[in-house]
Amino acid sequence: MAAAAAAAAAAAAAALARLAAAFLLLAAQVACEYGMVHVVSETGGPKGKDYCILYNPQWAHLPHDLGKASLLQVRDWTASVLCSPPDLPAKGFSNQIPLVARGNCTFYEKVRLAQGGGARGLLIVSKETLVPPGGNKTQYDEIGIPVALLSHKDMLDIFKSFGRAVRAALYAPSEPMLDYNMVIIFIMAVGTVALGGYWAGSRDVRKRYVKHKRDDGPAKQEAEAVDVSPVLVCVFVAMCCSALVLLYYFYDRLVYVTIAIFCLSSSTGLYSCLSPLVQRLPFGRCRVPDNSLPYFRKRPRVSMLLLALLCLAVSVVWGIFRNEDQWAWILQDALGVAFCLYMLKTIRLPTFKACTLLLLVLFVYDVFFVFITPFLTKSGNSIMVEVATGPSDSATHEKLPMVLKVPRLNASPLALCDRPFSLLGFGDILVPGLLVAYCHRFDIQVQSSRVYFVACTVAYGIGLLVTFMALALMQRGQPALLYLVPCTLMTSCALALWRRELGMFWTGSGFAVNTSLI
């Protein structure tokens, strides 16, 4: 009994130690903030530019407004690490902001010497990952000038763009509660769900009750949709979990595989979305001559071949220029929307029971990998967020393309330093979108004037707004399905209950209603 009690006490002590360590780490993260250094040339050259800095407000606060920040001369002293009095220049740093190299001593020793030499701030240049410039309370009270870390790459860009004679102002504008780019993401996401659900529902019902002539001509039937069974749901979720964990541990190797898959699938999706429009064009109806090639012997239209080449070219262009932050995100979003529409048209949930199973299982999956995995990883980071945004220690610096991304429209330190884009994963569109498509199919069959479809689409929009509010309030990545799944499922279920159609809605038996409706 005594041994068991001792073991329990030891386990409790270890748990408390881990909790204390987590608290200290959280405190360190809170103390560390991103800021900006605004650099201009003393000779009146190019327009000024902002660069990212990492600072600790416990040393000294930075003004929130650039107009209230002092524009001071920058002194390149990077040949020194500034760790001892002999490292100071003969005349000190009177009213200057010195640039010094990182290493060999503590941040406190550097900033104490800089302050004693008359400096008005200190920028420590680091070739490594930027870390919070920490100290203790006594040291914080002694220092009255700001100290921040600047990357070596940014320092080189400053001297290349502005020359050696530059002035700089340190400031830290407040982060906006919500960036305007969220409006663009909201329109794209809700629009894709609404259009995909409407298209998939109408197409699926038409294929159920209208007989198509199967031949090799223009009226050939499209590929059959894939019904999702409970077994398929379990297999799919297991594959998602495995893929996410593998990406977490082997990101640099698997990210290129994911990029290649995205290029292929998104070009297919773009072709699927544009082909109905091209087929209706009054020109370009000539066909390939008779031949024995596997695909071309069906004599496809030349316009469709040109469309296929165009879609493939768009995905290849994105693949080559995917890291061009200025414009590549537009191609990625266009391909992503096409991919989502294609998947919503191809994958079909036959009953509300299947919808509920899929959404609830993925709800648990999303919450687990965002909120629970930080307690299981050594770094304390969420596996989902780490994979979606790209690990900070990735050698490739590649990002997964399976997201809608829009650059931040507000100038802020977070946008400049850490997250220049706002992201929404394809799963946050596809999973609720499959329910929206089911609601549309059910609407048509029971002649309900698309009330289920509209209600579920509106519920999706409300759930997305709640997600954005949670993101703004918590300032951390959110599992969107945590809010989208309850909103869409509860709304659909409540509507079916109110209309006294829950039995038919649950089993999909409404599809057995009079087939002459179409």
Side-chain angles (χ1 to χ4, degrees):
M1 292 292 291
L16 288 174
R18 285 195 296 270
L19 184 61
F23 178 79
L24 291 174
L25 178 61
L26 180 61
Q29 290 174 342
V30 171
C32 164
E33 293 185 14
Y34 288 117
M36 296 181 179
V37 53
H38 184 75
V39 180
V40 297
S41 173
E42 286 190 338
T43 60
K47 185 180 178 182
K49 183 178 177 181
D50 287 326
Y51 293 88
C52 170
I53 58 174
L54 189 68
Y55 80 104
N56 188 337
Q58 292 175 301
W59 292 109
H61 287 280
L62 295 180
H64 295 303
D65 187 1
L66 177 59
K68 296 179 181 179
S70 301
L71 197 62
L72 304 170
Q73 183 184 28
V74 175
R75 178 79 172 268
D76 181 11
W77 205 246
T78 51
S80 168
V81 291
L82 197 63
C83 287
S84 60
D87 294 334
L88 285 168
K91 296 183 180 180
F93 300 114
S94 179
N95 288 323
Q96 295 177 333
I97 300 177
L99 289 171
V100 302
R102 179 181 172 188
N104 293 357
C105 59
T106 65
F107 294 116
Y108 167 70
E109 292 173 292
K110 293 178 185 293
V111 70
R112 181 176 60 84
L113 286 170
Q115 180 175 272
R120 296 278 299 278
L122 178 65
L123 286 174
I124 301 172
V125 179
S126 176
K127 294 183 179 180
E128 305 169 8
T129 303
L130 301 185
V131 297
N136 58 48
K137 188 177 184 307
T138 304
Q139 294 170 347
Y140 294 147
D141 293 340
E142 184 182 339
I143 301 302
I145 64 172
V147 54
L149 267 74
L150 175 75
S151 74
H152 184 262
K153 180 172 118 182
D154 284 344
M155 183 200 72
L156 295 178
D157 186 74
I158 289 172
F159 292 146
K160 180 181 177 181
S161 303
F162 301 96
R164 294 280 170 175
V166 296
R167 290 184 174 271
L170 305 179
Y171 72 114
S174 301
E175 290 289 341
M177 285 293 291
L178 200 63
D179 196 283
Y180 296 122
N181 64 357
M182 291 297 187
V183 177
I184 301 176
I185 290 182
F186 179 84
I187 293 173
M188 284 197 299
V190 176
T192 302
V193 165
L195 180 59
Y198 184 88
W199 185 18
S202 299
R203 171 182 176 274
D204 184 70
V205 170
R206 195 179 306 116
K207 287 180 64 178
R208 280 174 178 265
Y209 300 109
V210 178
K211 293 183 178 180
H212 291 269
K213 182 180 179 181
R214 294 178 178 267
D215 55 21
D216 294 334
K220 65 179 180 179
Q221 186 167 344
E222 301 178 50
E224 292 294 333
V226 178
D227 282 333
V228 178
S229 64
V231 174
L232 193 58
V233 168
C234 296
V235 172
F236 172 72
V237 174
M239 291 175 61
C240 288
C241 295
S242 302
L244 195 60
V245 172
L246 286 173
L247 278 167
Y248 180 75
Y249 286 106
F250 306 102
Y251 185 87
D252 288 340
R253 298 180 183 179
L254 296 179
V255 66
Y256 293 108
V257 177
T258 308
I259 290 172
I261 293 173
F262 174 75
C263 286
L264 180 61
S265 58
S266 62
S267 60
T268 303
L270 188 61
Y271 177 86
S272 175
C273 293
L274 296 180
S275 58
L277 301 177
V278 174
Q279 286 175 349
R280 288 174 172 78
L281 293 177
F283 51 85
R285 296 180 178 273
C286 57
R287 293 182 172 276
V288 173
D290 289 331
N291 60 85
S292 59
L293 296 176
Y295 174 76
F296 292 94
R297 67 185 177 187
K298 295 183 178 181
R299 301 188 60 207
R301 287 170 51 176
V302 173
S303 60
M304 303 308 294
L305 290 179
L306 294 176
L307 175 63
L309 290 175
L310 174 65
C311 295
L312 185 60
V314 170
S315 66
V316 170
V317 169
W318 173 85
I320 296 173
F321 299 100
R322 63 187 178 277
N323 293 319
E324 293 289 337
D325 287 344
Q326 296 295 325
W327 56 270
W329 63 272
I330 300 175
L331 278 185
Q332 179 172 325
D333 288 349
L335 290 169
V337 168
F339 170 77
C340 290
L341 291 174
Y342 173 69
M343 295 302 291
L344 288 174
K345 184 181 73 168
T346 304
I347 300 174
R348 177 177 57 199
L349 295 174
T351 66
F352 185 63
K353 177 181 178 181
C355 295
T356 303
L357 175 63
L358 178 65
L359 268 66
L360 288 181
V361 171
L362 290 176
F363 170 89
V364 174
Y365 159 85
D366 213 20
V367 172
F368 174 80
F369 279 102
V370 173
F371 287 147
I372 307 301
T373 53
F375 298 101
L376 306 177
T377 59
K378 293 181 180 179
S379 62
N381 296 327
S382 158
I383 288 181
M384 181 75 76
V385 174
E386 190 89 353
V387 169
T389 59
S392 57
D393 59 350
S394 170
T396 63
H397 301 291
E398 293 283 357
K399 306 294 183 184
L400 287 181
M402 303 301 189
V403 292
L404 296 181
K405 57 187 291 188
V406 179
R408 290 178 179 266
L409 303 178
N410 289 326
S412 71
L414 189 61
L416 181 65
C417 301
D418 187 43
R419 294 198 293 273
F421 291 90
S422 293
L423 311 175
L424 184 69
F426 290 168
D428 302 325
I429 298 173
L430 290 174
V431 176
L434 293 173
L435 175 59
V436 172
Y438 174 79
C439 288
H440 188 214
R441 293 200 310 272
F442 189 81
D443 272 325
I444 295 175
Q445 294 307 309
V446 299
Q447 296 181 298
S448 58
S449 302
R450 295 187 173 86
V451 62
Y452 286 96
F453 168 73
V454 172
C456 196
T457 303
V458 171
Y460 175 82
I462 293 173
L464 200 56
L465 289 177
V466 173
T467 304
F468 293 163
M469 292 174 58
L471 181 65
L473 293 174
M474 300 183 189
Q475 290 296 312
R476 58 175 297 183
Q478 296 294 310
L481 295 183
L482 174 64
Y483 311 100
L484 296 174
V485 168
C487 282
T488 52
L489 275 183
M490 292 174 64
T491 299
S492 304
C493 186
L495 182 60
L497 188 63
W498 177 67
R499 290 173 58 88
R500 298 181 181 179
E501 296 171 343
L502 185 58
M504 288 192 303
F505 191 62
W506 178 257
T507 61
S509 57
F511 296 122
V513 178
N514 187 4
T515 60
S516 64
L517 295 175
I518 303 300

